[in-house]
Amino acid sequence: MDLVPALEEPLRQPLKSVLGPATAKVMAEHLGLLTVGDLLHHYPRRYEERGQLTHLADLPMDEHVTVVAQVADARLHTFASAKAPRGKGQRLEVTITDGSGRLQLVFFGAGVHKPHKELLPGTRAMFAGKVSVFNRRLQLAHPAYELLRGDPEESVETWAGALIPIYPATAKLESWKIGKAIQTVLPTAQEAVDPLPDTLREGRGLVPLPEALLKIHRPHTKADIEDARSRLKWDEAFVLQVALARRRHADAQLPAVPRKPAPEGLLTAFDARLPFTLTDGQQRVSREIFDDLATDHPMHRLLQGEVGSGKTMVALRAMLAVVDAGGQAAMLAPTEVLAQQHHRSVVEMMGELAEGGMLGGAEQATKVVLLTGSMGAAARRHALLDLTTGEAGIVIGTHALIEDKVQFHDLGLVVVDEQHRFGVEQRDALRGKGKQPPHLLVMTATPIPRTVAMTVFGDLETSVLDQLPAGRSPIASHVVPAADKPHFLSRAWERVREEVENGHQAYVVCPRIGDEEDDPKKSGKKKSPEDEAEKRPPLAVLDVADQLTKGPLQGLRVEALHGRMHPDDKDAVMRRFAAGETHVLVATTVIEVGVNVPNATAMVIMDADRFGVSQLHQLRGRVGRGSAPGLCLLVTEMPEASPARQRLGAVASTLDGFELSRIDLEQRREGDVLGQAQSGARTSLKVLAVIEDEEIIAEAREEATAVVANDPELTRLPALRTALDALLDEEREQYLEKG
C-alpha cells in the first residue's frame, strides 16, 4: 500500500523539481528539508500582522530579521570614493516605519536602481537582512525585500490585519521565499494521512491533519493558529510516545531470569552490618527494584536522586540481591576516576563480604573486581578469569567491560551510572553478554523534570529518591560579584582559609584546564575593548592554582586536577585529597560526578556563569557530605541585571534539584536538555514544548500505551505506522535509544 506518495516526493530530482533546483538545494543543505512532507512540516516561527513591524526597539543586533513596514521616504545621494572618484558613487537611503518607530535601509552602487524605482513613499513591503549599527542608528544594509501589493478591493484594515507567516530562515533563503515554496506544495496537504486514530482525534476535538497544515501555513485568524498548533502538538507527543510504548512493550516480551535474594544470604548479612538505617525513600525504591528483579522479563528502571541521596547504596543492595540469586552484577561508570571510587566505596561498605574465596572472607562473601582500560596485563587477566568462572559476583568498570574479551559466567544485572554519558550501542553490547537479557538499572544525579523523563527516558520506569540520608548537612550558597565588589572575592578566600584552619578541605572549580594551544586562526581577529571584557577566556585550573599558591592561599597545600592528566597521576592527586594531605583541590568539572570526600566543606566556583544550572547543582553536591555544613561560593563578573546573574541567584536560593532543572530547561530550551547526543530531539520537537505541554505529554503517554497494548504492530493503524517510520529514521532512533 503506497501511502502518502505526494508527501514523499523529493523537492529536488533530476527530471523535474517540485521547486527550482537552486532553492531545493539550499533547503536540503541549510534546513534539512528533502521532501514535500518535510517542507509542509517546516512551521512558521511566528506571524506578523501586516500593519505592525517587529517593534524597532526589540530588533536584535547581528541577527537576521524579517520586518513588515511602510516606506516613509527614499533619498538618493551621490558621493566620491576610491571606486568612483568623480562623485559618481550612489547611495540610496530609505526610511521605513511601523508608526511606532523608524529604521534606515541602505543600498549602494549598482544595487540602488531597482529599489529606487520600487521603494516609493507609501509602499508596503517585507524586508529581511542583518541588523547593524551605523552612526548610532539601527540599519539594514542591502536588505532583501518583497513588495506587499494589497488587492485593490481589499480594505486597508483587512490588508493590515492579515497574518504573514515568518519562517525559520537562513541568510541564503529568506522567509518569504520559503513561504512561497510552501504555498506551491500546500495543495498536497490534502493528501496528508492522519496518524491520530479517529476516536482519539474526535474525542479530544482536534482538527484533521490536512486542515491543521492549511491553518498553520495560511491562517485567517489567530484562532486558526491555535487550532493548528494544538493539533500538531498532539501529533508530536503521540507519535513519540507510541515509539516509546512499543519499546517498553518489546522489552516486556524479552525473557529474563527472575532474581530473588536468598532468605539468609549476602543481602541479609550486608543489611545487618550497616551502621545506619536506610531512609524511607531508599526502602521504597529498593522494594520497587526487588519486585522488578523477581519477574521473568527484564527490569528497565531509571533511578533519579539528588547528589548524595544514597543511590549507590540502593544500587549495591540490588547487585547483592542478584548475587544471592546466583547471578553476577556489573556496574558501568563513565570515567576511570569514578570506577575506582565506586570500587573503593563498595569494598569498604561490604567489608569481609567482599572477600569471597580469601582468608578472613565471610561465609556468604563474593569477590568484587575492578576492570578499567589502564590496568596492567596481569591484573586484567586475573579479573577476566574471575568473571568467566563466576568467582566475582560484582564487577565495576568503565566501557572496558564492553570489550569482546570480557565474558561473564551469568550476568544478571547491569547498573549504569550517569546514563547520559553512555551511548545505546554500549548499553546493548553489555546486555548481549548475558545468557538472557540482564535486568537494567540506570542512575542519574541530574534531576529530570517529569515530562523530560517521559520524553527522553520514556522506555524506562522511574524511581525517585528525594530525601537526603541522616547525617547529611545543608549547603549554604552565595553569589560573589567579583567585578562589582572585589572585597567579596577576598573574603571568599578568607573563608576557604578558615575552613582549612578548622581541619576541613575545599574545592576550587574552573571552566578550563589552561594548557590549551592558542588557536592562531581565532587570535587573528581584532576585538573591541568591550568584547575583550565580555569574552575574556574562562579562568583556567593551572593559572588559578598558581595564583592561589602565590597569593591568597599561600602556605596551604594546593593541587590541580583535570581530565588530561595521566590516570595514575589523577588517582594519586585524588588519593592525597581523600586522605586529607591536600588542603585545596583546584579542578575542572572532572569532580562533578561521584567524588566523595566527606571532609571537604567549601567549594568556590570561578566564572560560575559559564556553567549550566544543573551542572552547578551537581558540583555543589560534592560538599556538605559529612557532618559539617557545606559552603558553595559562585564567583562571577557578570553585571547584576544580566540573565547569567539571575541564573546564579536561582542556584543560590534553592537546593531543590527538580526546581533548578525546570529553570534550566526553561532557559536553555528543550533541544539542549534533551541531549548532547540526542540529535533527534531538535528535529522531532517543533511545536511541542516539554515544560509547557506537560499535560499533553502525560495524556499522550496514556493513549499511546493503550493503543500499543491493543495492537503492538499497529496493523489496524497504517497511517500511524507511516508516521512512526518517519520519526524513527536513523538519528531519531538513536535519540530514543538514549533512554
Side-chain angles (χ1 to χ4, degrees):
M1 174 173 173
D2 191 7
L3 278 168
V4 285
L7 298 198
E8 282 169 14
E9 204 170 316
L11 294 172
R12 179 180 171 202
Q13 44 195 353
L15 299 173
K16 68 171 186 62
S17 277
V18 175
L19 308 171
T23 309
K25 183 171 187 254
V26 175
M27 283 194 171
E29 287 173 7
H30 293 272
L31 296 167
L33 306 174
L34 304 174
T35 66
V36 171
D38 289 345
L39 186 52
L40 285 175
H41 288 293
H42 187 71
Y43 308 132
R45 185 200 315 238
R46 58 190 171 82
Y47 299 84
E48 282 289 10
E49 287 182 51
R50 276 189 175 133
Q52 70 176 57
L53 180 62
T54 309
H55 287 297
L56 294 177
D58 299 340
L59 285 181
M61 278 298 297
D62 282 348
E63 272 194 32
H64 206 77
V65 299
T66 303
V67 295
V68 178
Q70 182 168 0
V71 176
D73 67 35
R75 293 176 193 191
L76 190 62
H77 303 271
T78 52
F79 61 92
S81 70
K83 284 184 182 165
R86 296 203 191 102
K88 294 278 179 66
Q90 290 191 307
R91 179 174 82 244
L92 176 67
E93 289 181 2
V94 179
T95 307
I96 58 174
T97 177
D98 64 342
S100 71
R102 298 163 90 79
L103 177 66
Q104 182 111 10
L105 317 177
V106 291
F107 300 87
F108 293 101
V112 305
H113 305 308
K114 186 167 174 273
H116 190 212
K117 283 207 301 271
E118 294 183 336
L119 297 179
L120 304 170
T123 310
R124 283 178 167 275
M126 283 167 84
F127 301 91
K130 200 171 189 186
V131 182
S132 58
V133 169
F134 181 72
N135 278 347
R136 299 200 164 184
R137 289 165 69 185
L138 289 182
Q139 70 166 29
L140 298 181
H142 281 282
Y145 63 87
E146 173 85 346
L147 300 178
L148 295 171
R149 297 188 175 87
D151 189 331
E153 308 296 299
E154 206 173 25
S155 75
V156 177
E157 284 74 26
T158 334
W159 188 87
L163 294 161
I164 302 170
I166 305 290
Y167 290 93
T170 73
K172 287 201 164 47
L173 197 63
E174 292 89 8
S175 166
W176 60 81
K177 287 190 181 158
I178 297 172
K180 279 186 169 166
I182 287 173
Q183 295 301 339
T184 312
V185 301
L186 203 51
T188 54
Q190 293 303 338
E191 299 182 44
V193 182
D194 203 324
L196 292 190
D198 293 345
T199 48
L200 188 159
R201 189 172 56 70
E202 287 156 11
R204 295 186 176 275
L206 299 168
V207 299
L209 182 58
E211 188 184 324
L213 290 171
L214 283 171
K215 282 183 167 174
I216 199 135
H217 292 298
R218 202 189 276 161
H220 294 298
T221 62
K222 290 183 179 166
D224 284 355
I225 301 171
E226 272 313 294
D227 286 353
R229 287 180 66 84
S230 311
R231 162 59 218 246
L232 295 167
K233 281 182 177 190
W234 254 95
D235 272 22
E236 285 182 9
F238 181 69
V239 175
L240 184 57
Q241 290 301 335
V242 167
L244 293 164
R246 291 190 68 208
R247 273 197 65 115
R248 290 196 301 274
H249 186 270
D251 285 342
Q253 309 311 305
L254 292 172
V257 180
R259 309 280 179 175
K260 292 182 181 163
E264 289 301 315
L266 188 54
L267 180 62
T268 315
F270 175 75
D271 284 350
R273 51 170 288 139
L274 279 181
F276 51 82
T277 52
L278 298 174
T279 65
D280 296 346
Q282 285 174 315
Q283 291 179 7
R284 184 193 71 248
V285 171
S286 287
R287 275 196 300 278
E288 291 170 353
I289 291 171
F290 292 151
D291 289 348
D292 283 358
L293 290 174
T295 60
D296 54 10
H297 54 84
M299 162 171 85
H300 290 103
R301 193 167 277 282
L302 171 69
L303 173 56
Q304 291 193 61
E306 288 284 3
V307 172
S309 57
K311 291 184 301 298
T312 315
M313 172 60 70
V314 170
L316 176 54
R317 293 184 73 240
M319 294 198 289
L320 296 175
V322 169
V323 174
D324 258 353
Q328 289 169 296
M331 185 183 228
L332 202 53
T335 63
E336 294 214 352
V337 169
L338 196 52
Q340 288 162 342
Q341 178 133 0
H342 275 319
H343 181 255
R344 260 201 304 278
S345 63
V346 164
V347 169
E348 272 168 29
M349 286 196 273
M350 286 175 64
E352 71 269 19
L353 295 173
E355 295 170 1
M358 297 184 234
L359 225 62
E363 182 189 340
Q364 304 94 331
T366 185
K367 216 179 217 179
V368 180
V369 299
L370 176 68
L371 192 63
T372 63
S374 64
M375 280 169 77
R380 195 178 165 76
R381 255 198 324 276
H382 210 102
L384 289 172
L385 186 66
D386 283 344
L387 288 181
T388 318
T389 58
E391 184 90 1
I394 294 177
V395 57
I396 295 169
T398 53
H399 44 252
L401 279 176
I402 295 163
E403 289 171 17
D404 294 343
K405 296 191 202 74
V406 181
Q407 298 296 324
F408 288 85
H409 177 63
D410 178 13
L411 181 61
L413 171 67
V414 174
V415 178
V416 179
D417 192 22
E418 288 308 319
Q419 161 66 13
H420 56 277
R421 302 185 179 214
F422 280 99
V424 63
E425 310 76 40
Q426 295 168 309
R427 195 175 86 181
D428 283 349
L430 193 51
R431 268 177 167 181
K433 293 186 179 293
K435 296 193 176 94
Q436 284 191 336
H439 298 281
L440 175 73
L441 180 64
V442 168
M443 301 199 294
T444 174
T446 309
I448 302 167
R450 174 169 162 258
T451 43
V452 180
M454 284 193 292
T455 314
V456 184
F457 296 102
D459 58 340
L460 301 170
E461 298 301 324
T462 306
S463 295
V464 179
L465 274 176
D466 45 14
Q467 52 186 143
L468 293 183
R472 273 300 160 89
S473 307
I475 304 168
S477 306
H478 303 284
V479 178
V480 177
D484 313 350
K485 301 182 177 163
H487 62 284
F488 275 38
L489 183 58
S490 317
R491 177 72 189 112
W493 299 127
E494 283 171 21
R495 283 291 289 112
V496 169
R497 273 190 169 298
E498 286 163 16
E499 290 299 311
V500 172
E501 280 159 15
N502 289 332
H504 298 303
Q505 292 159 279
Y507 297 100
V508 177
V509 182
C510 305
R512 204 164 63 95
I513 296 172
D515 58 358
E516 299 88 349
E517 289 294 310
D518 282 332
D519 184 340
K521 286 201 282 277
K522 284 182 191 160
S523 54
K525 287 188 189 163
K526 287 204 88 69
K527 288 183 187 158
S528 69
E530 289 82 8
D531 272 2
E532 286 299 335
E534 188 68 6
K535 299 198 172 118
R536 68 161 173 75
L539 292 170
V541 166
L542 300 175
D543 305 341
V544 170
D546 189 45
Q547 287 159 12
L548 291 176
T549 312
K550 292 175 181 161
L553 301 185
Q554 204 171 1
L556 301 185
R557 288 191 295 279
V558 177
E559 284 205 77
L561 176 73
H562 58 77
R564 283 214 293 275
M565 290 165 67
H566 186 279
D568 292 349
D569 297 342
K570 262 195 289 203
D571 202 43
V573 170
M574 266 320 300
R575 275 216 186 87
R576 286 195 290 275
F577 189 64
E581 294 163 24
T582 304
H583 295 136
V584 178
L585 187 64
V586 183
T588 53
T589 54
V590 288
I591 61 149
E592 176 186 350
V593 180
V595 172
N596 185 19
V597 179
N599 191 42
T601 52
M603 176 178 285
V604 180
I605 303 180
M606 307 303 291
D607 279 343
D609 47 272
R610 312 243 180 173
F611 298 94
V613 170
S614 295
Q615 197 173 25
L616 289 169
H617 182 60
Q618 283 276 77
L619 286 164
R620 164 172 70 182
R622 301 292 120 220
V623 294
R625 298 176 77 86
S627 50
L631 172 69
C632 176
L633 301 174
L634 306 166
V635 179
T636 177
E637 291 184 1
M638 284 292 149
E640 194 162 355
S642 62
R645 273 285 283 279
Q646 288 163 1
R647 260 203 342 260
L648 297 179
V651 174
S653 67
T654 177
L655 290 172
D656 179 344
F658 287 94
E659 177 55 31
L660 288 173
S661 68
R662 249 189 124 84
I663 293 169
D664 203 11
L665 193 53
E666 280 160 5
Q667 287 184 335
R668 284 166 47 194
R669 301 290 308 141
E670 291 71 44
D672 301 336
V673 175
L674 295 184
Q676 289 144 331
Q678 293 159 3
S679 46
R682 274 203 173 78
T683 34
S684 59
L685 298 187
K686 295 193 181 92
V687 281
L688 192 70
V690 172
I691 283 284
E692 293 153 35
D693 298 322
E694 182 163 347
E695 229 168 275
I696 295 178
I697 294 171
E699 289 173 17
R701 181 175 165 117
E702 274 176 39
E703 295 272 11
T705 308
V707 164
V708 171
N710 287 333
D711 182 4
E713 290 306 308
L714 308 179
T715 37
R716 296 191 291 283
L717 296 167
L720 176 56
R721 184 79 225 214
T722 307
L724 201 59
D725 294 341
L727 175 75
L728 298 182
D729 64 20
E730 286 245 346
E731 66 167 1
R732 295 172 193 168
E733 182 74 57
Q734 286 174 356
Y735 149 63
L736 287 173
E737 296 269 9
K738 283 280 172 192

